[in-house]
Amino acid sequence: MNDFSSSRPKTPAANTELSRESWRVFQIMAEFVEGFERLSRIRPAVSIFGSARTPEDHPWYAKAEKVSRLLSDAGFSVISGGGPGIMEAANKGAFAGESPSIGLNIHLPHEQHANPYQDVSLSYRHFFARKVMFIKYASAYVVLPGGFGTLDELAECLTLVQTGKGRRIPIILVDSAFWSGLLDWFRNSLCEGGTISPEDMELIQVCDEPQEIMQAIFDHYGGRGFEPSADELEILLEL
């Protein structure tokens, strides 16, 4: 079969675009390398997600700050998106605690600005590189109320664990009232429609109180350490 696209001369504009895309590979590599080098020693860690739009006087903000302070004092580094809202609350609580506060910031046209409560601050242009860092070094996912970005991170983690491409970690939704509609849809539409299995719902826990979140994480790892096992390390290499 003839490859007509390769035999047709490229325009100067097409050549310029190809050159830009090729060089972008090195930018992507740099984001991964910096993330691996700076985060490889932070275990154990918990990734915390939630809305960038939550104001400081909101109960969700206060809860995120308290959860992250408890986790930090218990020896967990806390990873958040590095921006405002619940991300800021998570970094703020960890920053006041005993363990590192880590922000994985993303360049956006609006909404995102780095909060000042970060011991380790990384900056990303590519969502996919950033998402690898959230998953790769997390011993648990704590997901507070949020919008599309929060749902994206939740779906990413669920998919990786469900398919065996990520290790099994606690995935904890905070605020049962907020998440009840989504969970009902999972059960009544996805499970009933056969697009997920009923046992996939066991990947998710729902907690309302900060101490309950802590206990759920410790219960999951009861009898073993927080470090990935040899088999789990092999899985994480495939992320």
Side-chain angles (χ1 to χ4, degrees):
M1 181 181 294
N2 291 325
D3 185 353
F4 295 106
S5 62
S6 62
S7 61
R8 186 179 299 122
K10 291 184 171 63
T11 65
N15 284 325
T16 299
E17 185 64 24
L18 176 60
S19 177
R20 291 183 63 195
E21 292 293 342
S22 297
W23 278 104
R24 192 176 299 275
V25 171
F26 294 100
Q27 183 184 75
I28 294 166
M29 287 173 59
E31 290 189 351
F32 278 113
V33 169
E34 184 180 20
F36 294 156
E37 289 184 345
R38 297 192 66 187
L39 301 183
S40 61
R41 294 180 293 276
I42 66 164
R43 293 191 183 100
V46 174
S47 291
I48 297 182
F49 302 93
S51 175
R53 304 181 184 188
T54 302
E56 192 172 353
D57 59 356
H58 198 287
W60 293 340
Y61 187 106
K63 186 170 289 187
E65 185 176 351
K66 185 173 182 179
V67 168
S68 62
R69 177 63 187 268
L70 285 172
L71 289 167
S72 181
D73 286 342
F76 292 96
S77 297
V78 172
I79 306 172
S80 93
I86 287 174
M87 294 181 285
E88 178 182 283
N91 281 137
K92 187 177 181 180
F95 195 75
E98 299 294 326
S99 304
S101 171
I102 295 133
L104 306 182
N105 302 271
I106 185 75
H107 294 279
L108 295 175
H110 56 83
E111 195 172 270
Q112 177 85 348
H113 60 268
N115 68 67
Y117 306 107
Q118 302 176 50
D119 297 303
V120 177
S121 181
L122 296 172
S123 186
Y124 290 87
R125 290 187 178 275
H126 304 92
F127 270 113
F128 59 86
R130 181 177 181 246
K131 286 197 285 188
V132 168
M133 302 306 156
F134 279 128
I135 290 277
K136 191 174 182 68
Y137 300 104
S139 296
Y141 248 42
V142 175
V143 188
L144 283 98
F148 290 150
T150 302
L151 291 173
D152 179 45
E153 297 293 352
L154 172 61
E156 182 81 21
C157 188
L158 286 170
T159 301
L160 289 170
V161 175
Q162 180 206 48
T163 58
K165 297 297 285 184
R167 68 172 180 143
R168 183 72 178 263
I169 62 174
I171 303 171
I172 301 169
L173 304 184
V174 182
D175 194 310
S176 54
F178 180 86
W179 295 108
S180 61
L182 179 66
L183 294 175
D184 287 343
W185 181 70
F186 282 0
R187 296 186 191 97
N188 299 330
S189 294
L190 302 189
C191 288
E192 290 296 323
T195 58
I196 66 171
S197 301
E199 55 266 29
D200 289 332
M201 294 299 298
E202 297 174 8
L203 301 176
I204 303 168
Q205 300 179 67
V206 183
C207 297
D208 286 300
E209 298 303 324
Q211 195 60 50
E212 186 185 3
I213 296 164
M214 284 279 297
Q215 192 61 50
I217 295 172
F218 278 98
D219 287 349
H220 178 88
Y221 289 98
R224 59 159 290 182
F226 295 104
E227 286 294 313
S229 67
D231 289 341
E232 289 172 337
L233 284 172
E234 286 299 315
I235 290 172
L236 292 173
L237 283 173
E238 298 292 327
L239 277 178

